[in-house]
Amino acid sequence: MNNHKTEAHNHNHNMIFGKKTELYFAILCGTFLILGFVIEKLTNLSTWTSLTSYIIAYFFGGYFISIEAFQKIRKGGFDIDFLMIAAAVGAAYIGSWAEGALLLFLFSLGHALEHYAMNKAKKAIKALSDLSPKTALVKKGNQIIETVIEDLKIGDIIVVKPNTKIAADGVIVSGNSSINQAPITGESMPVDKTAITTLENLPEFKNIDKKHIAFTGTINGDSSIQIHVLKLSHDSTVARLIKMVSEVETQKSPTQRLTKKFEKWYVPIVIIVVILLCFSYLIIDETFNESLYRAITVLVAASPCALAISTPSAVLSGIARAAQKGVLIKGGKALEDLGSITTIAFDKTGTLTEGKPKLTNVITLNNFDENKFLQIVLEVESLSNHPLAKAIAKDIATLHNISFKNTATNIEAIQGKGITALYENTKVFIGNLKLMQDEAITVTNSVTLKMDSLLQNGHTVMLVAFKKEIIGIISVMDLPRKTAEATLKKLSTIGIKRMIMLTGDHQNVGNTIARQIGLTEARGNLLPEDKVAVIKNLLATDGKIAMVGDGVNDAPAMALSTVSVAMGAAGSDVALETADVALMSDKIENLPFVIELSRASKRIIKENIFISLGVVAILVPVTILGLTNIGLAVIFHEGSTVIVVLNALRLLAYKEHL
């Protein structure tokens, strides 16, 4: 009853009442059923009036099911729909029109509700595609021309007015604004964006600083901006999201695979048993009609409708709920696996940490004036292109309010040791111990001790020498995300036992961060292939493991893990392609929510299977023994289908507990 390809459905749907035709047909079936029942029991009208009412009920109740069953039979598949129609036809044959109509009513209602649930879940996702506006304002010379999205070219400049949607992925080239990225990344707060200063040597899209990037479908704030288009609409983050979500259903969950296998054997067995039961009058003392009646009642009782729908409805509702929070879960498998995880491996850089080095210590020595010291370091570091130098210069300027005067010259990088430059015509050296020793600058014991204690704590340390003596120490470090500690705490509260950080950095760095944010262990000095080996070992010891990373340098390790979770996937193609779960924003704090949601989904799947198999297990023996009539069998059996769907829909309203 699930695996119907909804396409077959949709073209029938839009007939009379538009999208909800199926639901209205089910309701009409119910109305005529009640009408027929009232006429039959409470009036003296002739039988054909109530019969007509039942026949109309049959039409409305059986319409969609028959179309679907017919399409399946043509492909050689007998499934539950076929059993249901057989039962309804049989009921009519033995004169139990009311029961047959009741059967069709509840079955079509269950069906319609299922499609409604599926469509609701798909709508939550389809809403993504309505995010991107249909046209954009393109700047051509001094003119601004309204252009349909499909005609945008890479390199076009589009003008985005205040409070309107952004029409393409690109980089902001003029104007500053705060942009609401919730539709794509799930971030609730608007993000401040600024124009990039130059388009020369622009790195790849995913490597451009996020503060200059605008995504399709996000909403501009209060000021006008201009965007240089970098991706065409079919390639935009939104388009890829939609494509992925529509493929989501293909990855069936383990439970779903099991139910499919079960149905494949179960349906033919039911058909054989029912046919045999038709001939039971030959053995026991009853009429052919009584045998037929029992066979048809068994047919109704034995159809595993609720079972067929129990998993897909829960999986889709879970996925749709996650999508509202800016989390993309690819398929039932990822959803179910995530719920059973107790070990998580984290890549360090950009996942648990900001991924940007920050200036952590400024220590002056020999009573050297701090402001002068900072000025020297700023002047020299500003001339270097090294990421660490850039980070130091930026932090000195912002944290210590020192402005760059451009007074240093002759910068030179000394490979693996540091840099040197001229400041006030005197040589300045900034670098490691080796550099100072090579330049014959004395490093006292107290300085080495200070350095060592910083190194022990995971800082990258540089000595600064001026006029042949050491005037100070600076250190930088990639600091943990502000939310990392709280997130890990929450993860251990919800029962994640092992949280391991994998990093290419020095083991000291790993240990420090692990201590600060509460990880169970840290593994340092790992190359990408070492990460793969660690994951292999963890899989051997812990069975299942989730790996959280940004999906770029850790793609091989992520591919190997049971469930891979990518952070900040909105900007990175690799992460979107390879990960099973993608957090569209950089928010690691969404992780506990997703794990809890997966567990809730697993729970609901279990409940649903229990309900559906339970009902079948009770009804089949009872009906074979002829202890119940067809009406009761129908109510119990179809009622379970409706309950299962409603149970699954609870996931759409899932809230975090903590």
Side-chain angles (χ1 to χ4, degrees):
M1 184 168 154
N2 50 354
N3 62 3
H4 15 235
K5 288 289 166 279
T6 333
E7 285 64 56
H9 243 82
N10 289 347
H11 66 244
N12 317 330
H13 273 329
N14 306 333
M15 306 179 349
I16 311 173
F17 304 116
K19 288 273 182 295
K20 292 201 181 132
T21 306
E22 196 177 4
L23 196 57
Y24 291 137
F25 267 38
I27 292 164
L28 281 169
C29 168
T31 316
F32 281 102
L33 162 67
I34 293 165
L35 184 65
F37 194 72
V38 168
I39 294 173
E40 184 183 352
K41 297 281 184 256
L42 305 178
T43 66
N44 298 331
L45 293 169
S46 65
T47 1
W48 67 263
T49 36
S50 58
L51 186 61
T52 312
S53 195
Y54 288 141
I55 291 172
I56 298 172
Y58 258 65
F59 168 76
F60 284 122
Y63 183 81
F64 284 110
I65 311 167
S66 310
I67 289 176
E68 216 162 283
F70 179 67
Q71 285 169 343
K72 290 224 187 84
I73 290 167
R74 277 211 324 233
K75 297 194 183 111
F78 281 98
D79 79 345
I80 301 149
D81 298 4
F82 173 75
L83 293 185
M84 282 289 120
I85 293 164
V89 172
Y93 177 75
I94 55 176
S96 305
W97 283 95
E99 286 86 349
L102 178 64
L103 173 69
L104 287 175
F105 164 61
L106 284 166
F107 188 62
S108 59
L109 183 66
H111 240 186
L113 269 176
E114 177 195 359
H115 290 132
Y116 176 71
M118 303 286 183
N119 285 335
K120 207 170 155 63
K122 288 205 182 95
K123 266 202 203 80
I125 290 151
K126 188 81 178 83
L128 287 169
S129 63
D130 303 337
L131 285 175
S132 26
K134 304 290 170 264
T135 60
L137 301 170
V138 178
K139 196 171 158 190
K140 298 259 168 84
N142 301 332
Q143 288 177 298
I144 289 177
I145 300 161
E146 188 165 346
T147 313
V148 291
I149 299 300
E150 288 70 34
D151 295 348
L152 282 181
K153 293 179 193 54
I154 290 182
D156 277 350
I157 302 287
I158 56 173
V159 178
V160 184
K161 296 193 166 144
N163 306 317
T164 58
K165 282 183 181 169
I166 291 166
D169 285 14
V171 60
I172 299 170
V173 286
S174 114
N176 300 331
S177 189
S178 67
I179 293 180
N180 170 0
Q181 300 200 126
I184 303 292
T185 64
E187 287 163 282
S188 48
M189 300 299 293
V191 182
D192 290 332
K193 301 280 185 171
T194 57
I196 199 164
T197 41
T198 165
L199 285 171
E200 281 170 28
N201 306 331
L202 202 60
E204 269 186 75
F205 185 75
K206 64 167 184 282
N207 297 333
I208 302 173
D209 191 334
K210 291 273 198 303
K211 66 169 187 269
H212 306 312
I213 288 272
F215 295 114
T216 312
T218 54
I219 301 148
N220 187 17
D222 290 335
S223 56
S224 185
I225 52 176
Q226 294 183 10
I227 295 171
H228 172 91
V229 177
L230 290 177
K231 285 188 175 182
L232 299 176
S233 61
H234 59 81
D235 209 25
S236 72
T237 307
V238 176
R240 312 255 308 287
L241 261 177
I242 295 155
K243 183 169 163 284
M244 273 168 203
V245 173
S246 45
E247 288 167 3
V248 150
E249 307 204 8
T250 54
Q251 299 191 355
K252 292 226 185 322
S253 75
T255 318
Q256 236 166 319
R257 283 207 201 96
L258 255 166
T259 24
K260 274 270 149 292
K261 270 201 189 117
F262 174 77
E263 275 174 45
K264 211 171 115 187
W265 286 99
Y266 182 80
V267 173
I269 291 172
V270 170
I271 294 175
I272 293 165
V273 169
V274 167
I275 292 170
L276 290 174
L277 280 171
C278 292
F279 297 103
S280 58
Y281 72 96
L282 299 172
I283 302 162
I284 49 179
D285 182 23
E286 60 180 12
T287 63
F288 170 65
N289 269 0
E290 284 167 336
S291 294
L292 188 62
Y293 184 89
R294 178 189 306 151
I296 288 162
T297 312
V298 171
L299 183 58
V300 174
S303 307
C305 306
L307 179 68
I309 187 180
S310 54
T311 318
S313 54
V315 165
L316 258 173
S317 301
I319 289 171
R321 176 69 189 105
Q324 294 165 353
K325 284 276 270 199
V327 179
L328 183 67
I329 300 177
K330 298 202 211 153
K333 185 171 170 356
L335 185 71
E336 280 196 34
D337 283 343
L338 199 56
S340 55
I341 289 253
T342 55
T343 306
I344 302 181
F346 294 91
D347 176 49
K348 175 185 84 90
T349 311
T351 305
L352 293 172
T353 63
E354 295 287 352
K356 307 183 194 71
K358 288 266 185 278
L359 182 64
T360 46
N361 284 286
V362 173
I363 305 164
T364 54
L365 301 165
N366 306 336
N367 299 327
F368 199 88
D369 174 59
E370 182 166 314
N371 277 354
K372 170 116 192 228
F373 173 71
L374 288 166
Q375 191 72 53
I376 293 174
V377 176
L378 176 66
E379 298 301 327
V380 174
E381 297 283 21
S382 297
L383 299 179
S384 164
N385 270 331
H386 191 282
L388 280 186
K390 283 188 170 150
I392 293 168
K394 185 174 149 219
D395 285 354
I396 289 180
T398 51
L399 301 174
H400 297 275
N401 288 334
I402 291 188
S403 48
F404 174 58
K405 302 198 172 71
N406 203 0
T407 49
T409 54
N410 296 24
I411 178 127
E412 231 177 283
I414 303 161
Q415 200 52 47
K417 294 176 201 163
I419 53 174
T420 169
L422 288 179
Y423 178 81
E424 294 176 353
N425 292 326
T426 312
K427 271 205 157 187
V428 177
F429 293 97
I430 303 179
N432 55 18
L433 200 54
K434 187 97 178 65
L435 176 69
M436 301 305 158
Q437 286 161 347
D438 290 354
E439 297 297 331
I441 296 166
T442 20
V443 181
T444 60
N445 265 352
S446 68
V447 173
T448 351
L449 284 171
K450 281 200 174 91
M451 269 187 79
D452 285 348
S453 85
L454 287 171
L455 285 168
Q456 280 302 315
N457 284 320
H459 299 264
T460 304
V461 184
M462 282 156 273
L463 297 169
V464 182
F466 182 58
K467 296 185 177 163
K468 285 287 180 194
E469 72 161 0
I470 289 187
I471 56 169
I473 300 174
I474 48 175
S475 73
V476 292
M477 188 173 175
D478 181 9
L479 294 174
R481 285 176 184 273
K482 293 187 179 56
T483 51
E485 190 181 353
T487 303
L488 294 178
K489 216 183 232 116
K490 207 170 194 183
L491 285 171
S492 73
T493 319
I494 64 172
I496 303 294
K497 295 185 181 62
R498 290 180 76 182
M499 294 179 275
I500 301 158
M501 178 170 77
L502 311 179
T503 174
D505 281 347
H506 195 277
Q507 186 68 44
N508 289 343
V509 178
N511 294 344
T512 306
I513 288 179
R515 264 202 312 280
Q516 282 175 345
I517 59 179
L519 285 155
T520 35
E521 55 193 285
R523 310 265 177 99
N525 301 326
L526 301 176
L527 298 168
E529 53 267 32
D530 302 330
K531 289 184 185 174
V532 172
V534 172
I535 297 288
K536 271 195 182 135
N537 293 338
L538 286 170
L539 282 170
T541 55
D542 297 26
K544 284 187 175 177
I545 176 166
M547 165 99 187
V548 185
D550 52 13
V552 186
N553 59 354
D554 35 34
M558 285 175 76
L560 190 66
S561 60
T562 321
V563 187
S564 55
V565 181
M567 295 270 298
S572 150
D573 299 357
V574 190
L576 271 179
E577 298 297 346
T578 54
D580 303 314
V581 177
L583 308 178
M584 298 310 291
S585 68
D586 266 342
K587 286 193 165 164
I588 191 167
E589 58 268 37
N590 277 339
L591 195 57
F593 167 77
V594 184
I595 291 176
E596 285 199 286
L597 176 68
S598 305
R599 289 183 184 167
S601 309
K602 263 184 99 93
R603 232 187 358 263
I604 282 184
I605 289 170
K606 277 204 183 106
E607 289 165 12
N608 281 355
I609 284 178
F610 183 74
I611 294 168
S612 47
L613 285 180
V615 169
V616 170
I618 294 166
L619 277 184
V620 172
V622 168
T623 47
I624 286 180
L625 297 170
L627 300 176
T628 178
N629 66 6
I630 195 166
L632 270 175
V634 167
I635 289 171
F636 268 99
H637 177 259
E638 292 306 322
S640 68
T641 308
V642 174
I643 289 169
V644 160
V645 175
L646 295 175
N647 193 28
L649 282 176
R650 282 172 34 208
L651 281 170
L652 283 174
Y654 182 77
K655 295 268 189 303
E656 260 174 297
H657 295 312
L658 296 172

